Every structure is written in C-alpha cells, then in structure tokens.
Amino acid sequence: MPPRPPRPPALIRTFHPKPHLLRLHLDAPSAFPSASAAAPFEPPTAPQLPPRRQPAFSPGGFGLAGGTQRRPGQAAPTGLGLGQGLGLGQGVGMGVGKDKGKGKGKAEAAEERVSEIERLDREIGADEARLEGKDKEEAEACYVPPPATLYYHSPSSLPLLYSPSPLPPFQLAYETWGTLNADASNAIVLHTGLSASSHVASGGNDVASSTSSKPGWWEDFVGPGKAIDTSKFFVICTNVLGGCFGSTGPASPYPPGDGETRWATRFPLLSIHDMARAQLGLLDHLGINKLYASIGSSMGGMTSLSMAYLAPERVGRVASISASGRSGLNGVGMRYAQRSVLMADPNWNRGFYYDAVPPHNGMKLARQIATITYRSGPEWEQRFGRRMLSEAEGADGVPGLGPDFLIETYLDHQGERFCLTYDANSMIYLSKAMDLFDLTAPALRALADRFNAAYPDAAPFPYPSDPASVSASPSASGSGSGSGSSAPALATIASPTSASASAAPVSPSPSITAAGPTPPPKPKRERFIPTSKSPHLPELSTGLARLAHIPALVLGVQSDVLFPVEQQRELADALRMAGNANVTYYELGGVWGHDTFLLDLQGVGGAIRGFLH
C-alpha cells in the first residue's frame, strides 16, 4: 500500500479591511485621524479584545477528510445531517420514498406532517411575536436605526467610568407617552432590558403613525388606565447608550470617519452608570428636575438603581424588577458563554463586520443560550413536554440530529429571529456592562476614585458616604468631588419624619416618685433580621446608603434562573439595613422564569400600580 500523502496545511481564514478603512482598523498602527486641525479627535479607550484563535487541526475534522465523499455504491444520506436546521418541509421526505408501493397513504401522511410542522411554527412565532410586541410588524433591522422616534442630541461629551477620555457628543433615541404637568412632577422613566428598544407601548407622542400604532414590548402595562397610567403620568423610555435602535453605540458612525465608518470595537467599554448618567442629560433637556419614579426590569432594574445612586435628589421612587444590586456569578457565566460563541464566529471579525456578512451563526447560538435562562424548566415541560417532530404521525420515528424536540425548534426559531434584529456588538457591550454592575461599597469607592481622578472638572461619581447633595447629575453645581470617607455615617441617614426599621423608639420622660426620679426604661431596639444569607449583605447595604430616603419596590420571581430570587432578597434586605423604612418586596410564583416581568400582568402590573398610586 503506497504511503499516504502528507495532509495540506490548515487553511486559516484572514480578514483584510477595505483600503479606505485600513487606517481606521483596530489593528492599524497609525494614529486616528483628527476631526479638525484645531481640535484633534481623542478617542475614548477601546476595550481589550480576546486574542485571535487559530485551529490546530484540519477543517475536515479530527483525522477525517472534509467534503461529502461516499464509498462506491453508498446511497446518499437522507434526513437531517449534523447542524442542519429543520425548516418548513425540510426532512419531510425521511422514509417517505422508501416504499413507493404504499402510495397514497404515505403521501397523505407526509402532507399531514408538513401541516403539523407549519402549525407548530406558526404557534411559536405568534406566541413570541405577542410577547415581544411584534405581532403586526417585525422589528427594524439593527443596521438601519428606526427613523420614527425622538432623539436627544447631547451638547457635550460624556465622561466614562472605564475610559480616561470621554465619549464625544452622543444621541439617545427615546419616546414619550402622556402629558407632563405644569411643575414637571409626574414623569416616570422606564429602563429597558438588554435587547429592547424605546418603543414600550403604542400611542407615543410626536412619532410617526407607523410607530405609534405598533404594539410595544410592555403594551399591556403602559397606557391609559393601565398599571403605569399615561393619563396621569408622563412616561419616558430610551434606547440605552450602546444599543442599536437609534442611540449611539458600536454601530453608529465613527466621528473622524466619512459617515460610513462605524465605531465597531473602537467603541469604549460602558457601565450601567454611564447609561444612567446619559439619561440624566435627557431629563435636563426635557426640563424635569425630579422623577416621580424610576422603574426598570432586568438590566433596566440595574439602571434604575444606578440613577437613584448617582442622583438621589432627582428620583422620587425606585423600582427594580428581576434585577440585583450586584451581578451574580451565575449570570456572569451565562453571559460570558453567549459572548464567547458570538466572538468565535469568523464573521464577527473582531467587531468589524459592518461592511461584510454579520456573525449570524454566533448570534443565533448566543440567543439560544440566553433564551434558556429567560424561561424555566417547568414551563418547558408544560409547554412542550418531550414531544418530537420525528414522532409525529407519518414520520419514520427516527430522531434527527437537528431540531427535533419541540423545545429545540423553539430555540432554533428564537435564534433565527434575534440574529436578524439586533446588533452583535451591542449585545457584547451591554452584556458586559451588566456583568460589571456592583453596588457594594468597595466597588463603588474604587469607581469613584477612578472617575474623579480622570474627570476632576465633571460632576463627580459619588462615594457611598456622600450626602444626597453630592450628585452626578450634569445640572448639579457646587457638588464638590465627594467626601471619599470609607463608610457612611448611618446615624445621619434615617429620615427625621419616618422611623427606620432599625431605629430606636423615642424614650419616655422620666417619672418623679417619693424616692426620687426613676430612670427611664431601657428602650427596646427593634431588631432587623435579614432573610438573605449573602456574605455581601453588609457591603451592599453600605453602598446603598444614598437610597435610604427613596421608597423602593423590589420584585423577585421564584422560577428565575438568570437573576435568582435570592438576589432580590439580598437587595431588599440591604436597602432596609441601610435605613430605608419604605421598602416593598414581593416574591412572585409562576413558571415563566425571568420573563415573568413581560407576562404576569396581575402580579407585576398589580405591584407597580400599588407602588405608584
């Protein structure tokens, strides 16, 4: 037998930027071009990217030849191959042509199976469209921001926590509902989750009819007479900084470019606090000094807490739904897995894919991982069970390697839809911002040290011990740079008009007897016993001292695997330990998992209505 010829070296796919973009590429050694000779553009610090990975084996596999070669006389394979998706009618012929003698009966069975697949696909698509408010119109592709919205254009740069150079003047896409009253005291800001746009409900102010008539992602919760009543409140919702639905983000034009060049991964690393600071600028633009309430769910729950920390004098109430005061490691790990599979897609090209094919495969897999964390196992059992397409009537009963269980077809459907409606870089940046969120005192002190040293002339990032007069609001004046003390003086936190959960009752006046004055009885101090067993509780309560006077609503869901209910217990207990006597905590049941805030109108909507009214 002749010796086997040597295997050719592995093909390494490389990407070369277009000539007119070469000088702006992330790996280019040349300096960034200046916007003008008088005012050179100083870009904010870009995040560090993971090293390039090169395969150490043949693309054909571990010792296997690539391609679809078959032995002489071997029949072509039928059914689903590895990684082959099951679209409508795909794989329907499995086993159908094996025995043509069965004739009409087999053909009718195949038609019935096609109808069953189409019905299931319609049900899954309609269900998800209803949940996401897209039952009348699909979401805009992220590469072209939706034109039918309102825009706030910042007049100045935005200082950033993780960059010594600020973000150049930016824009936020937003929508409003209801009417702002004369003293601007009825405004509510709704903070979105990671992938939501500013279109929270239909009927928005001053937007095109095509947008105003479209149901939003919280349609059943926001509107006249609903939980967030727009006949009483002026509601604002923005697409967060770093998003892809109109606000400045990685897909936005790069300032020194020609209008077609995108930021891509030159965009600076963001924090939740940066997003909240940007929204404070919008409030100044709208003439709103103090919000009636700041409400958010998931990532928005973090942003809501951040706004109350940065500018407590501007927030009347704060609601955090299915969120936490510090990102748990379970969520950090899941989001890292999502970013890993996305960045492993060759089409991601280290973030520079806007002039080429986007990383749809990576986005699809990332969304499938995310969807698993958004729902719960009990719901999967109730909704899908162990039903399989290969077991449908008329099928040959042989499972395929592609989507076969109904839960698999559901995840496949979710991934396909999301990769066409959201920007991959925005998902990477915003999910990382969620991972970095931490309101414990040591983390906040480190951020304050970093920020205040880099931006001595900007409104400061407050220390946990700073009074409410020290604000990060752009309109704040004379705030100083913060006290920087190591721990808050909790004795000065308790409100003089309301009793704290840990405050001592007023001692009665001493009585006079024949034997002389009797000493007053020793006051009984009400002891607060937290339900959370988190070792970080003391540090978190110290970090939340600036929220001691703000009524708070905390909502948790027992079936949530992304933000386990223990994190909401920890947040509620930390607020109480910080001296907040007006903390309302609800723990909801149900099987919807993290997405309960989108679905449970009675539980979530009722809690919000009661909190606001």
Side-chain angles (χ1 to χ4, degrees), residues 201-561:
S202 58
N205 301 323
D206 303 322
V207 295
S209 58
S210 60
T211 298
S212 178
S213 61
K214 179 180 177 181
W217 55 267
W218 229 16
E219 183 73 23
D220 295 335
F221 293 78
V222 180
K226 298 180 181 180
I228 302 176
D229 193 348
T230 54
S231 63
K232 299 180 180 179
F233 299 109
F234 179 69
V235 179
I236 310 163
C237 185
T238 74
N239 178 225
V240 297
L241 186 70
C244 58
F245 292 109
S247 295
T248 298
S252 300
Y254 188 54
D258 54 5
E260 299 297 327
T261 305
R262 313 295 184 100
W263 274 97
T265 46
R266 285 183 294 255
F267 197 74
L269 190 66
L270 294 177
S271 71
I272 297 293
H273 303 297
D274 296 328
M275 302 173 195
R277 189 183 286 259
Q279 292 175 333
L280 290 173
L282 171 62
L283 296 183
D284 291 341
H285 171 73
L286 296 176
I288 299 171
N289 293 324
K290 185 172 183 178
L291 293 171
Y292 185 85
S294 173
I295 302 174
S297 50
S298 190
M299 186 185 79
M302 297 176 171
T303 315
S304 182
L305 293 171
S306 172
M307 179 173 285
Y309 175 83
L310 293 175
E313 82 285 359
R314 304 193 67 172
V315 178
R317 292 169 174 81
V318 60
S320 179
I321 305 169
S322 295
S324 65
R326 47 180 293 276
S327 286
L329 295 184
N330 179 66
V332 171
M334 296 302 296
R335 287 185 288 271
Y336 170 74
Q338 296 171 44
R339 293 193 298 270
S340 295
V341 297
L342 197 165
M343 292 188 288
D345 188 331
N347 288 333
W348 182 63
N349 192 25
R350 302 175 71 77
F352 290 83
Y353 53 80
Y354 294 103
D355 293 328
V357 179
H360 283 173
N361 288 334
M363 278 289 282
K364 178 179 178 179
L365 294 174
R367 187 60 172 184
Q368 290 178 359
I369 297 173
T371 303
I372 295 171
T373 68
Y374 294 158
R375 298 301 180 92
S376 72
E379 189 206 3
W380 301 136
E381 292 288 349
Q382 293 182 15
R383 187 174 179 183
F384 301 116
R386 289 186 59 82
R387 289 179 294 168
M388 301 171 65
L389 296 180
S390 60
E391 295 176 351
E393 185 177 355
D396 60 2
V398 178
L401 292 176
D404 196 355
F405 284 97
L406 295 192
I407 177 62
E408 294 175 333
T409 65
Y410 171 79
L411 295 175
D412 187 73
H413 174 79
Q414 284 296 294
E416 287 284 358
R417 295 182 70 241
F418 186 72
C419 71
L420 298 175
T421 58
Y422 202 76
D423 180 41
N425 282 337
S426 286
M427 197 282 284
I428 290 173
Y429 274 80
L430 297 186
S431 68
K432 188 65 177 183
M434 293 178 68
D435 293 349
L436 295 171
F437 185 70
D438 188 349
L439 288 179
T440 59
L444 291 172
R445 292 191 195 103
L447 291 177
D449 289 340
R450 171 196 294 269
F451 183 91
N452 296 331
Y455 303 99
D457 299 327
F461 187 92
Y463 288 87
S465 56
D466 285 336
S469 59
V470 179
S471 173
S473 176
S475 61
S477 60
S479 298
S481 59
S483 65
S485 59
S486 60
L490 294 181
T492 64
I493 292 175
S495 171
T497 59
S498 63
S500 169
S502 59
V506 178
S507 303
S509 300
S511 59
I512 304 298
T513 65
T518 58
K522 192 173 182 179
K524 294 182 178 179
R525 187 178 184 88
E526 183 179 352
R527 184 182 179 187
F528 171 66
I529 302 177
T531 59
S532 172
K533 306 303 180 184
S534 170
H536 306 283
L537 193 57
E539 294 177 342
L540 184 59
S541 66
T542 304
L544 293 173
R546 287 169 56 82
L547 280 66
H549 300 314
I550 305 177
L553 170 67
V554 180
L555 278 181
V557 179
Q558 294 174 348
S559 57
D560 192 342
V561 297

